[in-house]
Amino acid sequence: MADPTTSAALAADAETALELLGRGELTVHGRVTDASNAVLYCTATLDGVTAPCVYKPVAGERPLWDFPDGTLAGREVAAYEVSAATGWALVPPTLLREGPHGPGMVQLWVEPDADAPELLDLQDPAGAEPGWLPIVRADVGAGRTALLVHRDDDRLRRLAVLDAVLNNADRKGGHWIPAADGRLYGIDHGVTFNVQGKLRTLLWGWADQPVTAEAQDVLVRLAEALDGDLGARLAPHLTAAELRATRERVGALRLTGRHPAPSADWPSIPWPPV
């Protein structure tokens, strides 16, 4: 297990982390067994510095009916690039490189802060408590229901905006990690950037609400970046149609000025939710 403080410091230093991940020697230590695709827990070592990371080889990707084969690793890298362009740094340093089992995505492992407050809760179905926002009523067995809620947290709200841009189809409760320095990181972005609307998330607490002024400024910068350097960095990982759809999603968010609402044509909650 990595030290949470050291892990958080390296995650916040993207330049150093990317150098280590890109040039370091990858050593595989085991497999994350509850993942649907091959997810290998590794360390990267460079010039006497070692850090844990996740390596997802393209060869270990399970075919999906709605995403082209062999593209999930590239989508993870594209999600990192968009996150970096927002300035919010919501995705750990991530890149594509050759590894022990062929090319794949390598992402810095962020050790969760065990003392961080919970961001999800089950509460009285009559309504969310102050400081919490409702997601959905959940069946908790024996004919009883509870209200699944998430915190009204600025970090989660930024993540909700990023997911709307990425068209993230799998924002489970286990797909965000609180770091020891107070930052929040989103992980597992393989099913993103589809041309069709597939937003599936637990972060519906702000549905139809106005996005913040900060988010509006970020969306303006993203629109410009997608027509420039960011678009060029995404091009090796996404199709022209997917890039165009990303620009359109950013444009739609700027035009409406509101967080998206769940679609009637696509399941809005990932399964399992956590």
Side-chain angles (χ1 to χ4, degrees):
M1 179 181 295
D3 173 66
T5 301
T6 303
S7 172
L10 184 56
D13 184 356
E15 182 177 358
T16 299
L18 290 172
E19 179 77 4
L20 176 59
L21 296 176
R23 294 183 50 231
E25 180 181 357
L26 284 183
T27 302
V28 177
H29 297 282
R31 179 170 179 166
V32 179
T33 56
D34 59 353
S36 55
N37 298 296
V39 180
L40 304 178
Y41 179 79
C42 303
T43 50
T45 301
L46 179 68
D47 297 334
V49 177
T50 298
C53 57
V54 169
Y55 164 49
K56 298 182 181 180
V58 173
E61 294 179 6
R62 180 170 57 88
L64 299 173
W65 67 270
D66 52 350
F67 287 85
D69 292 352
T71 67
L72 304 190
R75 294 172 195 277
E76 297 240 30
V77 176
Y80 168 73
E81 293 288 357
V82 173
S83 165
T86 66
W88 287 333
L90 292 168
V91 179
T94 309
L95 49 72
L96 197 67
R97 62 163 286 180
E98 191 71 26
H101 300 285
M105 181 280 285
V106 178
Q107 183 175 86
L108 188 72
W109 178 279
V110 178
E111 191 65 34
D113 179 8
D115 297 324
E118 292 293 335
L119 296 174
L120 287 174
D121 195 15
L122 287 171
Q123 297 180 359
D124 191 310
E129 298 171 6
W132 297 83
L133 298 172
I135 305 168
V136 69
R137 280 180 172 78
D139 182 356
V140 293
R144 296 180 296 114
T145 62
L147 189 63
L148 181 62
V149 297
H150 64 70
R151 284 192 186 273
D152 188 358
D153 184 295
D154 288 342
R155 301 169 302 169
L156 288 179
R157 191 164 192 171
R158 294 180 187 122
L159 194 59
V161 173
L162 178 66
D163 283 343
V165 172
L166 302 181
N167 194 17
N168 189 356
D170 198 28
R171 178 61 70 199
K172 296 181 172 72
H175 288 180
W176 59 64
I177 298 174
D181 61 357
R183 294 174 184 254
L184 188 74
Y185 292 97
I187 61 170
D188 285 333
H189 296 103
V191 286
T192 48
F193 295 104
N194 202 295
V195 172
Q196 298 178 333
K198 292 182 178 290
L199 183 59
R200 188 167 52 191
T201 176
L202 291 185
L203 299 178
W204 290 118
W206 297 283
D208 273 335
Q209 292 189 21
V211 299
T212 63
E214 175 196 43
Q216 280 283 20
D217 290 342
V218 165
L219 291 169
V220 170
R221 294 200 304 271
L222 270 185
E224 296 171 351
L226 284 165
D227 287 331
D229 290 348
L230 176 60
R233 292 196 297 275
L234 298 183
H237 308 299
L238 305 176
T239 67
E242 288 166 344
L243 271 172
R244 183 167 57 252
T246 303
R247 294 187 182 96
E248 290 171 353
R249 287 192 297 273
V250 171
L253 286 167
R254 292 179 61 193
L255 181 63
T256 66
R258 293 182 176 275
H259 289 269
S263 170
D265 302 321
W266 177 254
S268 61
I269 303 294
W271 187 260
V274 292

